Amino acid sequence: KSPTPSAPAPVSL
Amino acid sequence: DGSTKELLSLTGTVPVNYRGNVYNIPICLWLLDTYPYNPPICFVKPTSAMMIKTGKHVDANGKIYLPYLHEWKPPQSELLGLIQVMIVVFGEEPPVFSRPTT
C-alpha cells in the first residue's frame, strides 16, 4: 500500500 | 511532428523531511524510449488538497528541474540517485504545500 500523499502547511509570510 | 509514443511512467511518493516532519510528496517520472540515455521527465503531482509552490526547481506545471537531470550521465545517473536528490532538495524547498482550509 503506497503512502498517502501529504504536503506541509503553507508558511504564513 | 504529430507522432505519438507510449511511455512508461512511475508514480508514487517521495518521503521528505521538512522542518522536522515527514511528508509524502507525490511525483511522477516519465521514462522516454531513449531512457536511460536521457533523463526521465519529472513532475510533482499535487492532489486537490495541495498547491504547487513554483521556485528554482518546480515550474507552474509542476515540472521538476534539477542539476542532476540536466547533467544526466548514464550509468552513474539513475533513478535511485535522482530520488535521493529530490529528497534533499524538497527537504529544503517543498514543491507543494497543502491548501489552506478556509
Side-chain angles (χ1 to χ4, degrees):
Chain A
K1 201 163 82 52
S2 61
T4 312
S6 58
V11 178
S12 52
L13 298 178
Chain B
D1 56 12
S3 65
T4 62
K5 284 181 186 160
E6 204 166 304
L7 299 178
L8 176 67
S9 74
L10 303 174
T11 301
T13 60
V14 172
V16 166
N17 191 313
Y18 177 67
R19 298 194 173 183
N21 294 312
V22 175
Y23 300 94
N24 300 312
I25 307 298
I27 60 169
C28 179
L29 311 182
W30 288 91
L31 304 186
L32 301 178
D33 48 353
T34 53
Y35 180 84
Y37 299 104
N38 293 105
I41 301 173
C42 309
F43 288 89
V44 178
K45 301 291 281 183
T47 64
S48 54
M50 298 178 188
M51 53 193 179
I52 288 176
K53 175 78 170 63
T54 58
K56 215 173 21 181
H57 299 296
V58 183
D59 70 11
N61 300 314
K63 187 171 180 185
I64 297 170
Y65 298 87
L66 294 170
Y68 192 88
L69 289 169
H70 186 64
E71 296 146 7
W72 184 269
K73 271 191 292 298
Q76 298 87 332
S77 307
E78 31 76 54
L79 293 187
L80 185 55
L82 170 61
I83 288 171
Q84 285 167 339
V85 165
M86 282 185 186
I87 288 174
V88 171
V89 167
F90 292 163
E92 287 152 14
E93 284 176 54
V96 282
F97 283 93
S98 52
R99 286 183 190 283
T101 49
T102 49

